[in-house]
Amino acid sequence: MFFVQKVSSFAELCSTSMLRFVNGVLAILCGIIIYEIITHLRPTLCKRKAAFFAVILALYPLHWFFTFLYYTDVASLTAVLAMYLTCLKKKYYFSALLGAFAVFIRQTNIIWMLFVACTGVIDITLTHPRKKVKVDELNESGKETGRLIPNNSVSASSNMRRRKPNSADASKYSATAANGSSSTQSSGFLDEIQDICLASWHMKWKLFISFCPFFMVLVAFVAFVRWNGSVVLGAKEAHAVSPHFAQIMYFSLVSTLATAPLHFSLCHVANMFQSFWKNRLGFFQWLVALTAGFLSVHFFSIAHPYLVADNRHYTFYLWRKVIKAHWLMKYFLVPFYVYSWSSIFNILGKVRQKVWVLTYFLATAAVLVPAPLIEFRYYTIPFYLLILHSHIDDNESWIAMGLMYLVINTFTMMMFLFRPFNWNHEPGVQRFIW
């Protein structure tokens, strides 16, 4: 009798309403984590503004819609952002534990765990007080001549080398320096790589102790893949790894459209083209990017059987009515893809190191390129990492984004609730979803 009661209570806990309630709780927790990340990355931002920004981000249509259905997206996003927040706060063991939980929820989160670990290493090494290392090295050489180098001379030269060239941005720079952004403008990509390598060598044991839990999770994941025969649990044939390079093109346009007031304002577009003409390598870079884009959509654009057969998803109609509207359409969209990625790099490069931006791009590509199915749900985590580091300051852009999200959410909820339809070949009611 006791066993029957336990089974009954467990069945109630696993009811549809209870499972969706869990998603609602996770969505609230996710909003709190977003607020904490914003205040950590931007300590000078007032709390009221940070709360306002967090509320707007909670309305992001892909996140909002699946909050009310029992999908793993909300739990996955919450776990990844919690892992990232704890890493920012330098609680690496707890961050690795949350990373293991994120991977348990969705296997591709192993990429975001590695991304978080890499950003942790970047933040530690590029904010490492290398002047002490320089003093030790100079004193070692100075012993041979009987002279020691004073600390203040080294720190002064280090500060001169690290000083931002634009004094007008001093306040913005001071706000981001605490989070490892100090060398974004003052040093090039190769300088950052050199700084990371030198600091990593001098801090190798500290880095090993701090980040070994991430390595342990990675080893456990590799063992799981070897045992399972694939990253995927379930329909392995339908989710086989495929070189879908066009996927990262779709992500860039979707993400910039979701933040259109930032990326497509007249001022920002004018600044983008102005920087393009001023940069001597700009034309060559855009030519390479356009060539890569054309090759991606021509040779690596995949029409998954689920995409062309399942008319419940909005991607089904975007594929048929937009990308497949004309055979030239997919090539016509390439310049918009390239502009979108250029704008993303430009926005991120203002507040983060170049090596951080490259790590973000590689992580996004590693998650999206192997996925043969176009699913906007896959874009949620990289989108949130992008918007959290975009540092949008003007309230007008946030209000415009919030209104845009409200309109989209109203439309998708109305379509889901009040426009059901039926399939002839399958019983039951079908509904429109992302």
Side-chain angles (χ1 to χ4, degrees), residues 141-198:
S141 61
K143 287 179 182 178
E144 299 178 1
T145 59
R147 293 186 296 111
L148 292 179
I149 308 299
N151 289 348
N152 56 357
S153 63
V154 177
S155 61
S157 62
S158 176
N159 288 336
M160 289 178 64
R161 186 178 70 85
R162 293 285 185 181
R163 185 175 298 163
K164 291 275 286 184
N166 185 2
S167 60
D169 294 331
S171 60
K172 180 178 179 181
Y173 167 61
S174 62
T176 57
N179 300 293
S181 302
S182 59
S183 60
T184 303
Q185 300 293 334
S186 59
S187 63
F189 176 73
L190 294 179
D191 293 330
E192 291 176 2
I193 294 295
Q194 182 182 12
D195 289 349
I196 291 172
C197 292
L198 290 174

Side-chain angles (χ1 to χ4, degrees), residues 18 120 246 309 327 402 404:
M18 282 301 298
W327 71 272
M404 180 173 63

